[in-house]
Amino acid sequence: MSPEILLNARNLVKTYPLRNGVVSAIDDVSFDIAKGETLGLVGESGCGKSTLGRVIMNLLSLDSGELLFKGQNLSQLAPPELRRWRRHFQMIFQDPFASLNPRATVRRILEEPLIVHGVRGARERQERVDWLLERVGLRLDMADRMPHEFSGGQRQRIGIARAIALNPELIICDEPVSALDVSIRAQVINLLIDLRQDFKLTYLFISHDLSIVRHIADRVAVMYLGNLVEIAPRSRLFSSPAHHYTQALLDSFPV
């Protein structure tokens, strides 16, 4: 039985203007993500990984191509319709401090998506916020603190709690541990793995750290200068890469 395809990306193009022309951040990129899998996306800095994540979230508009989520072409939706669909796909950002409102309490940060998507009862929101905090390993008395009162790892746990608040199906993880201390990274990665198993989540996991991708991903896509040059199951990609750039990446990977 073929796996259910959650996300279809077809011939995605995103360019930025330059004085003497344009530069392609994403150039004719196509891939699928099956429901329940983790697709790792790797490549050097500046290759377009984060741009691709933001395009999927519709934080950046496409120049051309189709982005289908459960068969719905997201690029054709009007803003009110897109907002309704966005509860099904969320994002964990690279910088856990910059992605949180510095003037809002944790409770307000976690309540905001609930309010936007129609959870109106104050009691219901409070119960959901308490559950989210406990689920990501934070104490309930932290709900009324401000983001600057937390460590980097704790802030990223808040970002993860916000991402799962609406029970999404797909989460874009944009370098979610690269800004954290090495001692904290494994804890956050294990939390993401637990959440994936408990809630049947699908991840697009963007990273430049091949060791993390090897640990968490089912398949791996390799990006180079805005293009996907290879996509393969994890074991095959690490044992017998087909593209010379993938081989160069693996050769630079410390044993």
Side-chain angles (χ1 to χ4, degrees):
M1 184 176 179
S2 300
E4 178 185 351
I5 300 300
L6 191 65
L7 182 76
N8 303 83
R10 293 288 175 265
N11 308 113
L12 305 185
V13 175
K14 175 62 181 176
T15 61
Y16 292 101
L18 295 176
R19 179 175 298 177
N20 297 318
V22 296
V23 60
S24 293
I26 303 173
D27 188 7
D28 198 26
V29 167
S30 298
F31 63 94
D32 298 329
I33 303 179
K35 185 175 178 62
E37 83 163 329
T38 296
L39 177 64
L41 180 62
V42 301
E44 62 193 17
S45 297
C47 69
K49 304 188 302 296
S50 293
T51 299
L52 180 57
R54 283 167 168 75
V55 162
I56 293 172
M57 285 296 300
N58 273 261
L59 300 176
L60 295 173
S61 59
L62 281 170
D63 292 315
S64 64
E66 288 187 335
L67 191 60
L68 306 178
F69 182 81
K70 301 180 73 171
Q72 173 64 57
N73 192 338
L74 299 179
S75 60
Q76 295 180 349
L77 295 179
E81 295 176 287
L82 179 60
R83 180 178 296 174
R84 287 193 291 270
W85 275 90
R86 188 169 272 144
R87 69 178 301 153
H88 301 292
F89 50 95
Q90 294 291 312
M91 191 166 190
I92 301 169
F93 294 89
Q94 178 176 358
D95 188 336
F97 189 69
S99 64
L100 302 177
N101 183 348
R103 302 188 180 193
T105 64
V106 170
R107 183 178 304 281
R108 177 61 185 175
I109 289 169
L110 297 182
E111 276 189 331
E112 186 172 10
L114 303 176
I115 294 171
V116 168
H117 289 278
V119 180
R120 301 299 180 186
R123 182 183 179 87
E124 184 179 354
R125 293 199 303 268
Q126 179 176 341
E127 291 175 351
R128 182 65 175 174
V129 168
D130 290 347
W131 180 86
L132 288 168
L133 289 172
E134 288 185 327
R135 189 60 191 81
V136 300
L138 297 174
R139 301 193 312 272
L140 299 187
D141 62 2
M142 294 177 170
D144 296 313
R145 298 184 187 179
M146 309 295 284
H148 72 268
E149 299 180 71
F150 294 89
S151 67
Q154 290 172 327
R155 285 194 289 263
Q156 194 60 294
R157 288 174 185 268
I158 296 167
I160 293 170
R162 179 178 59 186
I164 66 171
L166 296 167
N167 294 318
E169 296 179 70
L170 171 68
I171 296 182
I172 312 299
C173 305
D174 184 14
E175 304 259 15
V177 297
S178 64
L180 305 181
D181 293 339
V182 174
S183 60
I184 304 299
R185 291 180 185 180
Q187 298 176 22
V188 175
I189 290 296
N190 288 334
L191 172 61
L192 291 171
I193 292 173
D194 289 343
L195 293 173
R196 179 185 64 184
Q197 295 171 345
D198 291 347
F199 302 112
K200 312 302 181 189
L201 294 171
T202 303
Y203 289 151
L204 174 63
F205 192 91
I206 301 169
S207 181
H208 63 271
D209 190 325
L210 292 174
S211 63
I212 293 175
V213 170
R214 190 171 194 172
H215 180 63
I216 197 172
D218 301 304
R219 290 188 301 146
V220 182
V222 181
M223 200 162 189
Y224 177 62
L225 297 179
N227 296 277
L228 279 186
V229 296
E230 184 169 359
I231 184 166
R234 174 188 58 196
S235 58
R236 191 173 77 198
L237 184 132
F238 279 93
S239 63
S240 54
H243 195 275
H244 62 84
Y245 177 71
T246 308
Q247 182 62 62
L249 278 181
L250 296 179
D251 288 343
S252 66
F253 176 46
V255 177

